[in-house]
Amino acid sequence: MSGADFEGKSSGVEARLMVALSGGHLAVDFASGSVPALIPFLTDRFQLGYALAALLLLASTISSSLVQPLFGLWSDRRGAVWLIPGGAIVAALGVGGAAVSPVYPLVVVLVFVGGLGVAAFHPEGAKFAAYASGAKRASGMSYFNIGGNTGYALGAFVTGQLVVWLGLVGGLLAMAPVVVASVALARLLPRLSGVAERQGVSRSQQGEDRRGAMTLLGIVIALRSVAWFALLAFVPLWIVSRGHTTADGGRVLFLMLLAGAVGTLILGPVADRVGLRRTLVVTQAAVGPLVLVFVFVGGLPGLLALMLIGVCVVGTFGVTMVLSQLYLPRHVGMASGLSVGLAMGVGGLAAVVLGAVADTVDLQTALVISAAAPAIGVGFCVRLPAPSQGSHSLAAASRRVAVPID
């Protein structure tokens, strides 16, 4: 095994490959995280209501999340390692173009295109990260996800600041590092292709797919995502409605996302020690009450509650991804696309509905409604079954850094 291990020889995490994949994840999600930061400025430019503002997040979510299972299926059946750098460049061009588009309909189209780049990267990137993770799957996937979570937080903050300083052209300039990262990822292709060719895992070794368990997990993620996407869309607008500036709203959003990135490193090892499902139940149960603290208490306690929401939601992205891969061991790419994409896409759809509620009633009511969804999800969360014994062969395969090609 080449490169130093993050967790030592027993874990088998291939450091260089994981750093590269995590860096690519950072770049792609930097572009994705720029979209919520652009929403308040685009709202001002085009005089949008809450529903049309949320539509921008929906366009990004449909393309970056709901389409992911299709890319995952492609990855499982044929392999498409070129989607890793290709997704990064498409994400950069779409989001950067949306920032400087002169008309609102074109903004929606370009945000959608940028989301397709995000969708293309994730299943293939997550598949390679899974097989480079070693025995401690939750910890290993945390290394991959810390890149994405950090990138999303930085995208929201850096892009917001550049737009404050330079106008919306700053959103275009913010995508330059993503373009650079795509070039670096393209240079990594020979090594990734070599990993895929060296070893393979037969379907008989991978265990049986458990679609019922994956359905339950998808419901859990979707209900949690209702609150999460509502916060992504409306936290900056809520802060502005409380008498603060748009820049203040962007900074608060950044703190929520940054806390989530830190939570990724904390909760991955915790899940390896205390269990994936136990970690998920506790964090799921905390989200709803924390949303209410943010809305009704506000101030420093509200900010701390918002940051804890980031820890609970973003910090368990790796946990839900590992569970999905263990529930669908024969379709690792599809599992990644479902856990990150299709299930979370429901949250983007809900954000538009909640935006309509905010327009007709008020924003506070919409945020309170969003808090109920993760509370309902706790009931589904406690019903999640343990991964079958056969699924653990996937973890063994990951120690060999084997990648299924079928």
Side-chain angles (χ1 to χ4, degrees):
M1 179 174 297
S2 62
D5 294 342
F6 281 111
E7 295 288 342
K9 294 287 186 182
S10 62
S11 72
V13 176
E14 195 171 316
R16 293 180 182 177
L17 182 60
M18 187 64 76
V19 167
L21 291 168
S22 183
H25 201 183
L26 186 152
V28 170
D29 280 9
F30 181 96
S32 183
S34 297
V35 175
L38 289 171
I39 286 176
F41 301 98
L42 293 170
T43 298
D44 290 340
R45 180 178 184 180
F46 297 109
Q47 299 297 303
L48 305 176
Y50 288 124
L52 287 179
L55 183 61
L56 293 174
L57 190 61
L58 174 63
S60 176
T61 301
I62 289 176
S63 56
S64 67
S65 298
L66 298 181
V67 179
Q68 272 198 48
L70 298 180
F71 284 106
L73 183 61
W74 188 357
S75 170
D76 287 328
R77 289 185 174 179
R78 299 179 178 273
V81 69
W82 56 270
L83 289 175
I84 294 177
I89 189 65
V90 171
L93 295 177
V95 175
V100 295
S101 174
V103 293
Y104 175 75
L106 184 57
V107 172
V108 176
V109 171
L110 289 172
V111 165
F112 185 88
V113 170
L116 288 177
V118 176
F121 171 88
H122 278 90
E124 193 75 3
K127 184 175 75 173
F128 275 87
Y131 290 99
S133 290
K136 294 186 176 181
R137 293 289 300 279
S139 297
M141 292 306 294
S142 290
Y143 299 136
F144 175 68
N145 281 312
I146 187 63
N149 298 336
T150 303
Y152 202 97
L154 287 174
F157 178 74
V158 172
T159 301
Q161 293 303 306
L162 285 175
V163 174
V164 168
W165 296 336
L166 304 174
L168 281 165
V169 70
L172 177 62
L173 294 177
M175 294 302 105
V178 184
V179 175
V180 173
S182 71
V183 175
L185 289 169
R187 296 183 62 183
L188 184 68
L189 287 181
R191 183 178 181 187
L192 292 174
S193 298
V195 168
E197 291 171 359
R198 280 199 302 271
Q199 297 187 47
V201 179
S202 70
R203 288 182 178 272
S204 62
Q205 291 175 304
Q206 292 171 350
E208 295 296 326
D209 286 345
R210 302 177 70 188
R211 297 182 181 180
M214 186 63 222
T215 299
L216 277 177
L217 180 60
I219 293 172
V220 170
I221 299 171
L223 288 170
R224 184 180 65 181
S225 298
V226 171
W228 180 244
F229 275 86
L231 293 172
L232 286 178
F234 302 131
V235 158
L237 298 175
W238 174 257
I239 297 300
V240 170
S241 74
R242 300 293 95 181
H244 300 282
T245 67
T246 302
D248 290 334
R251 283 190 282 268
V252 170
L253 182 65
F254 169 71
L255 288 174
M256 180 181 75
L257 295 169
L258 181 63
V262 174
T264 300
L265 291 179
I266 297 172
L267 292 183
V270 166
D272 277 327
R273 292 186 179 94
V274 307
L276 297 167
R277 293 177 298 156
R278 185 177 291 115
T279 302
L280 190 57
V281 169
V282 172
T283 54
Q284 181 89 9
V287 173
L290 289 170
V291 172
L292 297 180
V293 171
F294 169 68
V295 173
F296 290 108
V297 179
L300 181 59
L303 178 60
L304 292 175
L306 194 67
M307 294 174 69
L308 286 174
I309 293 169
V311 172
C312 291
V313 177
V314 180
T316 53
F317 280 177
V319 173
T320 55
M321 188 178 293
V322 171
L323 272 174
S324 70
Q325 291 170 347
L326 293 175
Y327 287 149
L328 298 179
R330 296 190 177 191
H331 297 90
V332 176
M334 172 70 80
S336 302
L338 286 170
S339 65
V340 180
L342 182 59
M344 290 191 66
V346 174
L349 294 170
V352 174
V353 175
L354 291 172
V357 171
D359 282 332
T360 56
V361 185
D362 56 44
L363 188 54
Q364 183 183 81
T365 300
L367 289 172
V368 170
I369 292 173
S370 75
I376 296 171
V378 175
F380 293 94
C381 200
V382 297
R383 295 173 57 196
L384 288 171
S388 63
Q389 194 66 27
S391 297
H392 294 296
S393 63
L394 186 63
S398 70
R399 289 194 292 272
R400 300 192 298 272
V401 198
V403 180
I405 305 175
D406 54 13

